[in-house]
Amino acid sequence: QVQLVESGGGSVQTGGSLTLSCAASGYTSSTYCMAWFRQVPGKEREGVATIHSDGDTIYPDSVKGRFTISKDNGKNVLYLQMNRLKPEDTAMYYCAAVPDYINCWVHWRDYRYWGQGTQVTVSS
Protein backbone atom coordinates (compact mmCIF):
# COMPACT_ATOMS: atom_id res chain seq x y z
CA GLN A 1 0.00 0.00 0.00
CA VAL A 2 3.01 2.30 0.51
CA GLN A 3 3.87 4.11 -2.70
CA LEU A 4 6.97 6.13 -3.52
CA VAL A 5 7.16 8.19 -6.70
CA GLU A 6 10.39 9.89 -7.79
CA SER A 7 10.72 12.90 -10.04
CA GLY A 8 13.29 15.52 -10.97
CA GLY A 9 15.82 13.49 -12.92
CA GLY A 10 17.30 14.69 -16.17
CA SER A 11 20.47 15.63 -17.99
CA VAL A 12 22.97 18.17 -16.69
CA GLN A 13 26.55 19.17 -17.43
CA THR A 14 29.45 18.51 -15.09
CA GLY A 15 29.33 20.93 -12.18
CA GLY A 16 25.60 21.47 -12.42
CA SER A 17 22.83 20.77 -9.93
CA LEU A 18 19.63 18.76 -9.75
CA THR A 19 17.03 18.19 -7.05
CA LEU A 20 15.20 14.87 -6.90
CA SER A 21 11.85 14.49 -5.17
CA CYS A 22 10.10 11.42 -3.78
CA ALA A 23 6.42 11.69 -2.91
CA ALA A 24 5.31 9.16 -0.30
CA SER A 25 1.81 7.92 0.44
CA GLY A 26 0.27 5.22 2.62
CA TYR A 27 3.16 5.26 5.13
CA THR A 28 1.99 5.53 8.74
CA SER A 29 5.02 4.49 10.83
CA SER A 30 6.43 7.22 13.05
CA THR A 31 9.90 5.62 13.14
CA TYR A 32 11.54 4.89 9.79
CA CYS A 33 14.47 5.30 7.47
CA MET A 34 14.35 6.81 4.02
CA ALA A 35 17.17 6.68 1.53
CA TRP A 36 18.36 7.37 -1.98
CA PHE A 37 20.16 4.64 -3.91
CA ARG A 38 21.66 4.66 -7.38
CA GLN A 39 22.56 1.96 -9.85
CA VAL A 40 24.29 1.68 -13.22
CA PRO A 41 24.29 -1.43 -15.45
CA GLY A 42 26.75 -4.06 -14.27
CA LYS A 43 27.29 -2.53 -10.83
CA GLU A 44 25.81 -3.10 -7.38
CA ARG A 45 23.13 -0.74 -6.16
CA GLU A 46 24.79 1.95 -4.04
CA GLY A 47 23.45 4.04 -1.17
CA VAL A 48 24.01 7.77 -1.61
CA ALA A 49 22.11 9.22 1.34
CA THR A 50 19.88 8.18 4.23
CA ILE A 51 17.72 10.08 6.68
CA HIS A 52 16.07 8.82 9.85
CA SER A 53 12.67 9.99 10.99
CA ASP A 54 14.54 11.77 13.81
CA GLY A 55 16.50 13.75 11.21
CA ASP A 56 19.94 12.08 11.35
CA THR A 57 21.61 11.79 7.95
CA ILE A 58 24.40 9.59 6.55
CA TYR A 59 26.41 10.02 3.34
CA PRO A 60 29.18 8.00 1.74
CA ASP A 61 32.45 9.74 0.93
CA SER A 62 31.62 9.72 -2.79
CA VAL A 63 28.88 12.33 -2.34
CA LYS A 64 29.63 13.89 1.05
CA GLY A 65 29.66 17.66 0.79
CA ARG A 66 27.86 17.64 -2.57
CA PHE A 67 24.52 15.91 -1.86
CA THR A 68 21.96 16.80 0.79
CA ILE A 69 19.01 14.64 1.80
CA SER A 70 16.01 16.24 3.46
CA LYS A 71 12.32 15.65 4.03
CA ASP A 72 9.20 17.74 4.34
CA ASN A 73 6.98 15.91 6.82
CA GLY A 74 3.98 18.11 6.11
CA LYS A 75 4.10 17.39 2.38
CA ASN A 76 5.33 13.78 2.75
CA VAL A 77 8.14 14.45 0.29
CA LEU A 78 11.77 13.34 0.38
CA TYR A 79 14.41 15.38 -1.47
CA LEU A 80 17.93 14.88 -2.72
CA GLN A 81 19.76 18.09 -3.56
CA MET A 82 22.74 17.28 -5.78
CA ASN A 83 25.41 19.91 -6.41
CA ARG A 84 28.72 19.91 -8.33
CA LEU A 85 27.64 16.85 -10.25
CA LYS A 86 30.23 14.58 -11.87
CA PRO A 87 29.95 12.10 -14.74
CA GLU A 88 30.33 9.24 -12.23
CA ASP A 89 27.05 10.38 -10.64
CA THR A 90 25.23 9.20 -13.78
CA ALA A 91 22.80 6.46 -12.70
CA MET A 92 19.22 5.50 -12.10
CA TYR A 93 18.27 6.97 -8.73
CA TYR A 94 15.76 5.23 -6.45
CA CYS A 95 13.90 6.37 -3.37
CA ALA A 96 13.43 3.75 -0.64
CA ALA A 97 11.96 3.39 2.84
CA VAL A 98 11.89 0.90 5.72
CA PRO A 99 10.27 1.10 9.18
CA ASP A 100 11.74 0.60 12.65
CA TYR A 101 15.47 0.91 11.99
CA ILE A 102 17.85 2.84 14.22
CA ASN A 103 20.79 2.74 11.80
CA CYS A 104 19.68 3.64 8.26
CA TRP A 105 22.99 2.76 6.60
CA VAL A 106 22.11 -0.84 5.74
CA HIS A 107 22.18 -2.99 2.63
CA TRP A 108 19.68 -1.97 -0.05
CA ARG A 109 17.95 -5.36 0.24
CA ASP A 110 16.84 -4.40 3.76
CA TYR A 111 14.73 -1.54 2.43
CA ARG A 112 11.12 -2.59 2.01
CA TYR A 113 9.52 0.06 -0.20
CA TRP A 114 10.86 1.43 -3.47
CA GLY A 115 10.06 4.01 -6.08
CA GLN A 116 10.23 3.42 -9.81
CA GLY A 117 13.50 5.27 -10.33
CA THR A 118 14.48 8.46 -12.11
CA GLN A 119 17.44 8.78 -14.47
CA VAL A 120 20.25 11.27 -13.84
CA THR A 121 22.77 11.81 -16.61
CA VAL A 122 25.83 14.04 -16.15
CA SER A 123 27.80 14.89 -19.28
CA SER A 124 31.37 16.16 -19.45
Side-chain angles (χ1 to χ4, degrees):
Q1 192 169 12
V2 173
Q3 292 187 338
L4 304 174
V5 180
E6 301 102 329
S7 62
S11 297
V12 65
Q13 292 184 328
T14 298
S17 298
L18 284 174
T19 299
L20 307 183
S21 299
C22 173
S25 63
Y27 201 89
T28 60
S29 178
S30 61
T31 301
Y32 57 86
C33 293
M34 297 197 74
W36 290 96
F37 292 85
R38 66 187 182 188
Q39 188 170 26
V40 299
K43 295 185 67 177
E44 181 80 5
R45 190 167 297 184
E46 174 190 24
V48 297
T50 69
I51 185 167
H52 193 268
S53 47
D54 289 340
D56 290 342
T57 59
I58 303 174
Y59 305 92
D61 289 341
S62 58
V63 308
K64 193 172 298 181
R66 299 188 298 119
F67 290 13
T68 302
I69 188 171
S70 63
K71 57 184 175 68
D72 186 325
N73 292 332
K75 296 181 179 179
N76 293 324
V77 177
L78 180 75
Y79 300 99
L80 183 67
Q81 175 68 50
M82 303 183 292
N83 298 321
R84 302 191 303 280
L85 283 161
K86 305 174 180 179
E88 51 263 45
D89 296 320
T90 295
M92 184 72 72
Y93 282 72
Y94 297 92
C95 173
V98 65
D100 301 324
Y101 276 67
I102 296 173
N103 179 18
C104 297
W105 194 253
V106 296
H107 195 275
W108 65 266
R109 292 184 183 271
D110 290 336
Y111 276 80
R112 182 178 298 176
Y113 306 108
W114 291 86
Q116 82 287 352
T118 186
Q119 179 68 38
V120 172
T121 301
V122 185
S123 61
S124 61

